[in-house]
């Protein structure tokens, strides 16, 4: 599949580069991004028609009927390693978010502002989120798509153009970021925007909004309440909003959570990504290698133990042996020596780390220690602590730990208004 | 000792060890004892008991003379007399410069690092009877004055290490300790296939212990030695390369890596010309892995494969590449072997030399599968175990699994490292260490948006 830059409503012909799938014999040909393209994007953003609010809301609404084509679905699955069942679910969730975004009133645009978004590959609901917010706010936008998975955003953009979105309002750019010229051109484009948003910890510009919170964690006070949410977390290994790390208060809760996690992993079906029964994504070998290193280190130092699968309790932890999932219990006993690395490292694979703590206070203390350098994206609290259990200044302490607090629901059930505690629409229309 | 290339009496190791080989102290032997082939050939249990005796005597000494061990409850609780063999390393605590997060607890110390203590007290690991130990060593080495000359008259040598993890610390060793380790390196180099008369070009700095010991080992083996210093001096005297060498070295010293990079190709050209002109047989150099090269300009300009790939014809005389400092990348050793070169590596460190080496007759193709080179350095691949135990212990890592690489120097005349957690890990194998590598924990990729901008 070949994907050109979509600038000012047109696919631009030009030099391409090839990106191979990490998982299958499949590749995409993507457009390079040049200084000439930068000029055209700039012109498009500054001169495109900005439809009135009513029309913008109509366009958002039309996206609810969007159907992804077979070719694009294939590209999404084979390039990102996500099975078709999960891609479909996330696209549907993206469409659900549109309803929430439409519940915001919106305003007519009094002053043109432009938006730049560097968008990741890992979640098919992301393009809906950004495109809908951009339309509602009336901010012409450039999306630098991930070269891992650019096809869904392209198709959404072209769908909107067909439905009457003015040319130049939504521009999609690729670019070979291993090449200096393309990188510099992308940076120039970011600098030209009033509001740059970057997903991740790349810093291109001091004024950018970065969505770079550390991975979400769960705090469990009631194993019965968290049960249904565990599978949601397990099935989203690359999402920063999936809890891959649970602090569980009380031994009984702990054993119950571990039992449920084991069940979730053991029933996670792996197979062809295009098989509708497949629920397990493919994860980069390199990432699994890095996780295996982390786990081996922990095991050598006795700062973790493997709970599942049983053959890894003393068996070799390698990128291959952790492919189908692993659950580890980690320890942080003496905080003066530092908090367990499993609390501070991202865990973007099929791994869930769990820790049994004796009290809510102990859990909050460990979270505070592990978030000294960086707050986590979200903290999900499952269960309802009795007043007597509440540590001192609990709510204030939680605010220092996480950008978002979710109670008795998965952070992935986000409604589309906030991300990392930021009200996107407020930022876009300030 | 019937050692090819080692002049002297024909003495066997057995004779050297004397009537009670299981109760000897390494400092009471001539430095040449480390070169005896018998260390590698003797029956394992016997060797283990000999080494165990040395370990026992070293521990007895350090418990009363060396601050780190004297002031530590766990070390004081050790009954040295219970140590019978090198297997008993698992009964000893480990020591570590850096603390390990996640360990310890209410009643357990965990793995607490001594780096800050060592920076404040550089003699933390040094016995308070250091001078007396040196005298004992000198008593065992009749030619100690000659050896001292080889070290520029310095009885005590100091080497910096471990700056990448925090403040750099000093290791102090007597010149005879460094020399004994150099003889152990001789033994390793012979296993690699190097021999008398082979000229060797070494790209390690001689201020680095490895560079210094390699030079000593080459001298002992009768291998004409071309130090990096000498090579660069020759290039600096050659009008063709003068400017490039001067600018390159100045730029590196001032950390102006972009400038260094501009002149590096010319410097490399000069090095290749030197190798050709002097018909060098063995090159000792460094080949970092690709990821390291991308992130570290400082160490990459003279990486061996860069030198080689730019013009491999310059290496027609080279029979052997001895690549150290990093695990040898697979593509590097495969390429060099295709060209007809032997490749090997030896593991050593500022704290202990030479733990293990890749032998010429190894059945393993992977150059990073090292066989042990016991004495004066011994090692252990272990797991630290403290959960549900009254006191922490070390458990030998199951064969084929990764564990902490702990190194022990049996000499004890200088900074004493026993079960020292050096920061490397290895795969445990019988009498061997596979895949020794740093156990740093870097960032983990594949995060939510790792590739939005980067890939």
């Amino acid at each position: 599949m070949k994907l050109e830059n979509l600038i000012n409503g047109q696919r631009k012909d030009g030099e391409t580069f090839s990106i191979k799938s990490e998982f299958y014999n499949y590749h995409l040909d993507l457009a390079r991004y040049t200084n000439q393209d930068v000029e055209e994007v700039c012109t498009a953003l500054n001169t495109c028609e900005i439809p009135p609010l009513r029309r913008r809301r109509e366009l958002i609404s039309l996206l609810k009927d969007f159907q992804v084509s077979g070719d694009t679905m294939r590209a999404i699955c084979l390039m990102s390693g996500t099975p078709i069942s999960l891609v479909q679910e996330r696209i549907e969730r993206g469409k659900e978010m549109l309803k929430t975004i439409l519940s915001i009133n919106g305003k007519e645009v009094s002053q043109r502002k432009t938006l730049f978004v560097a968008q990741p590959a890992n979640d098919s609901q992301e393009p809906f989120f950004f495109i809908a917010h951009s339309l509602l706010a009336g901010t012409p936008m450039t999306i630098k798509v991930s070269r891992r998975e650019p096809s869904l955003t392209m198709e959404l953009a072209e769908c909107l153009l067909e439905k009457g979105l003015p040319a130049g309002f939504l521009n999609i750019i690729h670019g070979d970021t291993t090449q200096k010229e393309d990188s510099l051109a992308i940076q120039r484009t970011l600098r030209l925007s009033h509001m740059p948003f970057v997903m991740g910890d790349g810093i291109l510009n001091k004024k950018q909004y970065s969505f770079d919170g550390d991975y979400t964690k769960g705090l469990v006070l009631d194993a019965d309440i968290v049960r249904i949410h565990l599978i949601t977390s397990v099935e989203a290994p690359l999402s920063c909003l999936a809890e891959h790390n649970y602090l569980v208060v009380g031994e009984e809760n702990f054993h119950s959570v571990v039992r449920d996690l084991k069940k979730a992993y053991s029933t996670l079906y792996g197979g062809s990504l295009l098989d509708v029964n497949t629920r397990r994504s493919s994860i980069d070998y390199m990432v699994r290698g890095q996780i295996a290193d982390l786990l081996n280190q922990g095991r050598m130092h006795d700062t973790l133990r493997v709970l599942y699968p049983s053959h890894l309790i003393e068996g070799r932890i390698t990128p291959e042996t952790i492919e189908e999932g692993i659950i580890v219990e980690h320890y942080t006993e003496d905080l003066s020596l530092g908090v367990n690395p499993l609390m501070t490292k991202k865990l973007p694979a099929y791994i869930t780390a769990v820790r049994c703590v004796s009290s809510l206070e102990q859990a909050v203390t460990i979270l505070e220690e592990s978030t000294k350098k960086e707050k986590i994206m979200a903290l999900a609290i499952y269960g309802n602590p009795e007043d007597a259990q509440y540590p001192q200044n609990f709510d204030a302490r939680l605010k220092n730990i996480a950008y978002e607090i979710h109670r008795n629901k998965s952070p992935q059930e986000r409604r589309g208004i906030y991300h990392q505690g930021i009200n996107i629409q407020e930022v876009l229309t300030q | 000792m019937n050692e090819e290339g080692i002049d002297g009496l024909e003495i066997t190791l057995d004779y050297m060890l004397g009537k009670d080989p299981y109760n000897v102290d390494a400092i009471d032997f001539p430095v040449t004892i480390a070169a005896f082939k018998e260390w590698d050939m003797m029956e394992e249990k016997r060797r283990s008991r000999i080494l165990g005796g040395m370990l026992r005597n070293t521990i007895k000494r350090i418990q009363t003379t060396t601050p780190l061990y004297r002031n530590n409850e766990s070390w004081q609780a050790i009954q040295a007399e219970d140590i019978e063999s090198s297997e008993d390393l698992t009964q000893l605590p480990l020591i570590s410069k850096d603390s390990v997060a996640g360990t310890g607890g209410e009643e357990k110390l965990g793995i607490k690092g001594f780096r800050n203590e060592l920076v404040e007290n550089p003699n933390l690991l040094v016995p308070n009877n250091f001078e007396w130990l040196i005298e004992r060593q000198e008593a065992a080495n009749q030619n100690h004055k000659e050896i001292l000359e080889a070290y520029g008259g310095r009885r005590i040598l100091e080497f910096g290490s471990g700056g990448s993890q925090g403040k750099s610390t000093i290791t102090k060793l007597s010149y005879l300790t460094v020399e004994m380790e150099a003889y152990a390196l001789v033994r390793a180099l012979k296993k690699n296939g190097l021999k008398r008369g082979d000229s060797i070009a070494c790209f390690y700095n001689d201020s680095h212990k490895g560079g210094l010991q390699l030079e000593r080992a080459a001298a002992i083996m009768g291998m004409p030695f071309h130090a990096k210093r000498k090579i660069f001096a020759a290039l600096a005297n050659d009008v063709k390369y003068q400017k490039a060498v001067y600018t390159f070295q100045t730029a590196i010293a001032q950390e102006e890596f972009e400038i260094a990079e501009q002149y590096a190709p010319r410097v490399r050209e000069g090095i290749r010309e030197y190798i050709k002109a002097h018909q060098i047989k063995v090159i000792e150099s460094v080949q970092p892995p690709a990821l390291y090269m991308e992130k570290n300009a400082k160490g990459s300009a003279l990486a061996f494969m860069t030198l080689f790939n730019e013009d491999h014809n310059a290496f027609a005389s080279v029979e052997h590449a001895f690549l150290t400092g990093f695990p040898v990348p697979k593509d590097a050793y495969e390429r060099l072997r295709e060209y007809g070169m032997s490749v090997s590596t030896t593991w050593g460190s500022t704290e202990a030399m030479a733990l293990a080496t890749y032998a010429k007759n190894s059945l393993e193709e992977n150059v990073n599968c090292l066989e042990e080179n016991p004495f004066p350095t011994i090692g252990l691949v272990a797991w630290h175990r403290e959960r549900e135990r009254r006191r922490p212990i070390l458990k030998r890592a199951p064969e084929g699994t990764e564990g902490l690489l702990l190194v022990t120097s049996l000499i004890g005349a200088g900074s004493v490292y026993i079960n020292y957690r050096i920061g490397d890990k290895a795969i445990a194998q019988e009498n061997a260490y596979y895949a020794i590598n740093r156990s740093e924990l870097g960032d983990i990729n594949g995060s939510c948006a790792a590739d939005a901008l980067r890939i």
Side-chain angles (χ1 to χ4, degrees):
Chain A
M1 185 189 266
K2 183 178 171 189
L3 295 174
E4 295 91 339
N5 293 317
L6 183 67
I7 301 174
N8 209 13
Q10 303 284 331
R11 281 201 182 212
K12 312 291 294 185
D13 224 349
E15 207 184 321
T16 59
F17 66 102
S18 204
I19 291 291
K20 290 184 198 165
S21 166
E22 295 280 341
F23 316 108
Y24 280 82
N25 184 13
Y26 184 85
H27 73 278
L28 292 176
D29 292 316
L30 306 179
R32 297 282 304 269
Y33 187 65
T34 66
N35 281 325
Q36 174 66 32
D37 294 323
V38 176
E39 300 302 326
E40 291 180 27
V41 164
C42 185
T43 304
L45 291 172
N46 288 320
T47 60
C48 70
E49 181 198 331
I50 300 176
L53 177 62
R54 186 182 50 80
R55 178 63 185 142
R56 298 199 310 266
R57 291 175 69 87
E58 270 172 15
L59 287 166
I60 295 172
S61 210
L62 285 170
L63 274 181
K64 286 189 275 174
D65 299 326
F66 169 80
Q67 294 294 329
V68 64
S69 69
D71 281 346
T72 295
M73 180 62 86
R74 191 179 155 78
I76 297 169
C77 294
L78 299 187
M79 290 301 293
S80 70
T82 313
I84 190 168
S85 60
L86 293 182
V87 173
Q88 283 169 337
E89 278 174 19
R90 284 176 195 154
I91 289 174
E92 291 309 307
R93 244 190 251 158
K95 291 181 188 177
E96 281 298 312
M97 258 200 285
L98 298 175
K99 292 182 198 166
T100 310
I101 294 169
L102 280 170
S103 71
I104 304 168
N105 285 334
K107 321 180 218 192
E108 293 298 345
V109 173
S110 57
Q111 188 189 11
R112 181 183 293 255
K113 284 185 187 171
T114 59
L115 173 60
F116 175 96
V117 171
Q119 184 181 275
N122 57 301
D123 196 333
S124 302
Q125 45 184 323
E126 298 287 352
F128 292 91
F129 177 79
F130 284 113
I131 291 173
H133 272 294
S134 156
L135 276 169
L136 187 66
T139 51
M141 173 161 81
T142 311
I143 302 183
K144 156 69 184 81
V145 280
S146 162
R147 61 194 214 171
R148 175 80 69 93
E149 202 308 273
S151 22
L152 176 63
T153 310
M154 283 292 287
E155 193 156 286
L156 275 168
E158 284 181 321
C159 168
L160 283 169
L161 282 168
E162 273 172 34
K163 296 197 187 298
L165 177 73
F169 189 94
L170 177 53
N171 305 282
I172 312 294
I173 64 172
H174 305 282
D176 184 356
T177 48
T178 64
Q179 301 298 325
K180 203 171 175 180
E181 311 87 70
D182 294 44
S183 274
L184 288 174
I186 291 165
Q187 286 181 41
R188 268 190 70 205
T189 310
L190 181 150
R191 280 198 294 273
L192 289 169
S193 304
H194 296 99
M195 289 168 295
F197 282 82
V198 173
M199 304 291 283
D201 46 20
I203 301 282
L204 293 186
N205 192 288
K206 285 179 196 167
K207 69 175 183 177
Q208 75 187 44
Y209 290 87
S210 292
F211 292 113
D212 59 353
D214 205 352
Y215 268 33
T216 294
K217 301 204 171 26
L219 207 172
V220 179
L221 302 162
D222 188 330
D224 291 332
I225 293 178
V226 75
R227 184 166 294 121
I228 52 165
H229 302 291
L230 292 174
I231 188 75
T232 309
S233 164
V234 164
E235 284 191 343
L238 298 180
S239 171
C240 54
L241 288 173
E243 316 94 304
H244 301 131
N245 209 324
Y246 292 94
L247 298 180
V248 185
V249 181
E251 279 198 34
E252 205 180 307
N253 277 325
F254 178 75
H255 292 306
S256 183
V257 165
V258 170
R259 205 169 41 238
D260 292 329
L261 281 168
K262 284 181 181 177
K263 190 173 169 191
Y265 273 111
S266 61
T267 53
L268 197 63
Y269 178 67
S272 161
L273 295 175
L274 300 175
D275 179 349
V276 294
N277 296 311
T278 301
R279 298 296 291 180
R280 193 174 78 229
S281 303
S282 299
I283 307 290
D284 278 17
Y285 187 86
M286 180 185 66
V287 171
R288 282 185 278 131
Q290 291 169 330
I291 302 262
D293 273 350
L294 174 68
L295 297 178
N296 277 319
Q297 283 259 62
R299 190 161 65 176
M300 290 181 225
H301 291 106
D302 208 14
T303 54
L304 65 83
R305 69 183 172 118
V306 174
L307 299 177
Y308 168 91
S310 53
H311 64 270
L312 290 188
I313 290 172
E314 287 220 348
R316 285 192 71 182
I317 298 177
T318 65
E320 290 82 7
T321 57
I322 63 170
E323 193 172 10
E324 294 180 19
I326 184 167
I327 304 167
V328 297
E329 179 179 7
H330 58 89
Y331 309 99
T332 294
E333 305 287 13
D334 183 347
L335 286 173
S336 70
L337 295 180
V339 71
N340 196 301
L342 280 169
M343 285 295 292
T344 55
K345 294 281 180 195
K346 295 178 166 75
L347 303 174
Y350 286 101
I351 165 173
T352 306
V354 291
R355 164 87 163 122
C356 181
V357 293
S358 55
S359 65
L360 197 46
E361 173 62 40
Q362 188 184 6
V364 173
T365 304
I366 292 172
L367 283 165
E368 283 172 326
E369 281 300 315
S370 66
T371 53
K372 273 183 171 164
K373 283 188 182 162
E374 192 176 29
K375 278 164 73 160
I376 54 179
M377 191 65 83
L379 177 67
I381 303 176
Y382 297 101
N384 301 304
E386 302 294 329
D387 283 353
Q389 287 178 22
Y390 264 100
Q392 242 184 349
N393 304 321
F394 186 51
D395 292 329
R397 288 164 82 186
L398 291 183
K399 280 189 180 149
N400 288 332
I401 288 169
Y403 290 104
E404 297 172 12
I405 306 294
H406 297 260
R407 294 189 191 260
N408 298 324
K409 68 175 176 69
S410 167
Q412 291 191 80
E413 292 168 23
R414 61 183 180 142
R415 298 178 61 229
I417 298 181
Y418 289 89
H419 188 60
Q420 197 176 281
I422 298 172
N423 182 323
I424 305 297
Q425 200 54 218
E426 265 183 25
V427 168
L428 296 184
T429 55
Q430 64 193 353
Chain B
M1 169 178 60
N2 296 311
E3 284 294 332
E4 182 194 318
I6 310 284
D7 294 328
L9 301 172
E10 288 191 10
I11 297 172
T12 63
L13 179 60
D14 278 347
Y15 178 81
M16 277 251 203
L17 291 169
K19 285 185 188 161
D20 187 6
Y22 305 135
N23 192 25
V24 296
D25 199 325
I27 57 171
D28 293 325
F29 291 99
V31 294
T32 51
I33 196 176
F36 279 79
K37 258 196 295 215
E38 282 113 298
W39 286 114
D40 305 305
M41 287 156 48
M42 77 168 72
E43 192 256 333
E44 204 179 318
K45 271 198 179 135
R46 179 170 146 73
R47 182 177 63 219
S48 184
R49 286 188 65 195
I50 295 170
L51 298 174
M54 292 181 178
L55 180 63
R56 181 172 62 247
N57 286 314
T58 302
I59 287 175
K60 272 190 205 167
R61 271 193 276 113
I62 62 176
Q63 280 180 313
T64 54
T65 62
T66 311
L68 180 76
Y69 303 95
R70 191 179 60 215
N71 300 333
N72 183 299
E73 269 181 39
S74 307
W75 280 96
Q76 288 302 307
I78 297 299
Q79 299 295 324
E81 286 307 320
D82 292 342
I83 297 167
E84 291 182 352
S85 75
S86 57
E87 297 297 307
D88 294 329
L89 279 171
T90 53
Q91 303 308 312
L92 304 174
L94 65 80
I95 64 170
S96 175
K97 244 183 235 179
D98 297 302
S99 300
V100 177
T103 59
E106 275 176 21
E107 288 166 27
K108 298 193 182 90
L109 280 178
I111 300 176
K112 218 166 197 163
F114 59 77
R115 185 183 292 275
N116 288 336
E117 266 185 272
L118 184 56
V119 167
E120 275 182 37
N121 175 13
N123 291 324
L124 186 72
L125 294 164
V126 179
N128 60 15
N129 57 354
F130 193 9
E131 275 299 330
W132 178 70
L133 294 171
I134 297 178
E135 283 166 19
R136 268 173 77 175
Q137 286 184 302
E138 287 176 338
N141 287 274
Q142 287 179 356
N143 62 338
H144 66 265
K145 286 185 180 161
E146 257 176 62
I147 299 173
L148 185 60
E149 253 185 63
Y151 288 96
R154 293 173 293 165
R155 290 176 92 240
I156 298 173
L157 291 104
E158 295 188 1
F159 304 98
S161 66
S164 62
Q165 303 299 320
K167 294 174 199 161
S168 179
T169 58
I170 300 291
T171 291
K172 296 186 184 187
L173 298 170
S174 73
Y175 70 103
L176 289 168
T177 296
V178 177
E179 184 76 348
M180 188 176 269
E181 289 185 348
Y183 272 91
L185 182 55
V186 164
R187 200 165 104 236
L189 294 177
K190 287 185 171 187
K191 284 194 254 189
N192 298 151
L194 307 193
K195 56 192 185 305
R196 174 184 281 277
D198 287 346
S199 55
I200 176 168
C202 171
F203 289 90
Y204 248 103
N205 280 325
D206 54 15
S207 57
H208 191 285
K209 182 167 167 256
L212 178 63
Q213 285 177 319
L214 192 61
E215 186 163 4
R216 282 300 302 146
I220 292 164
M221 289 173 73
M223 295 175 69
F225 190 78
H226 299 256
K228 182 178 175 182
R229 185 183 6 97
K230 180 178 170 184
I231 296 169
F232 272 74
L235 295 183
N237 281 332
D238 184 337
V239 292
K240 274 192 298 189
Y241 302 110
Q242 223 165 39
K243 182 186 171 186
V245 165
Y246 175 74
T247 315
F248 176 79
Q249 287 185 309
T250 310
I252 291 282
Q254 292 173 354
E255 299 197 357
E256 287 171 353
F257 299 120
E258 281 196 25
I259 297 177
E261 193 51 43
Q262 280 173 34
Y263 287 89
R266 193 88 175 119
V267 171
R268 288 194 293 264
E269 187 190 305
I271 291 171
R272 281 191 297 272
E273 197 170 299
Y274 185 99
I275 290 167
K276 241 189 337 195
H278 291 85
Q279 291 288 292
I280 301 290
K281 285 266 186 307
V282 179
I283 307 251
E284 184 286 327
S285 186
V286 173
Q287 180 50 48
L291 202 57
Y292 181 94
M293 302 263 290
E294 276 172 41
K295 291 182 179 177
N296 294 272
K298 189 173 183 182
S300 308
L302 300 184
F304 182 68
M305 292 312 290
T306 310
L307 261 171
F308 179 81
N309 286 331
E310 280 176 349
D311 180 9
H312 59 78
N313 292 320
F315 294 83
S317 62
V318 178
E319 293 173 358
H320 194 113
F322 180 61
L323 302 177
T324 59
F326 292 93
V328 183
K330 187 176 182 208
D331 56 352
Y333 65 73
E334 283 182 346
R335 169 100 175 93
L336 294 171
R337 279 173 179 165
E338 266 171 27
Y339 184 73
M341 249 190 242
S342 299
V343 186
S344 67
T345 187
T346 289
W347 191 95
S349 71
T350 305
E351 293 86 358
M353 174 74 76
L355 176 76
T357 193
Y358 180 76
K360 191 177 170 184
N361 58 4
S362 174
L363 297 174
E364 297 282 350
E365 281 191 14
N366 183 346
V367 167
N368 301 298
C369 294
L370 308 184
E371 64 179 57
E372 62 180 3
N373 193 55
F375 186 80
T377 298
I378 53 176
L380 173 63
V381 179
W383 291 353
H384 170 77
R385 285 290 169 266
E386 61 178 28
R387 304 243 148 257
E388 293 144 20
R389 288 174 201 278
R390 211 167 34 85
R391 63 175 185 89
I393 62 160
L394 291 172
K395 178 183 163 182
R396 207 168 270 280
E399 201 165 301
T401 65
E402 250 183 357
L404 302 173
L405 181 63
L406 306 175
V407 296
T408 294
S409 172
L410 295 173
I411 307 173
S415 302
V416 186
Y417 294 92
I418 309 280
N419 269 355
Y420 174 54
R421 177 184 164 267
I422 194 160
D424 283 4
K425 56 185 178 177
I427 294 177
Q429 294 290 347
E430 200 179 335
N431 306 127
Y433 305 89
Y434 284 13
I436 301 179
N437 207 342
R438 293 303 292 167
S439 53
E440 288 158 340
L441 291 178
D443 289 334
I444 295 179
N445 297 327
S447 63
C448 192
D451 58 10
L453 282 171
R454 194 166 15 97
I455 71 166

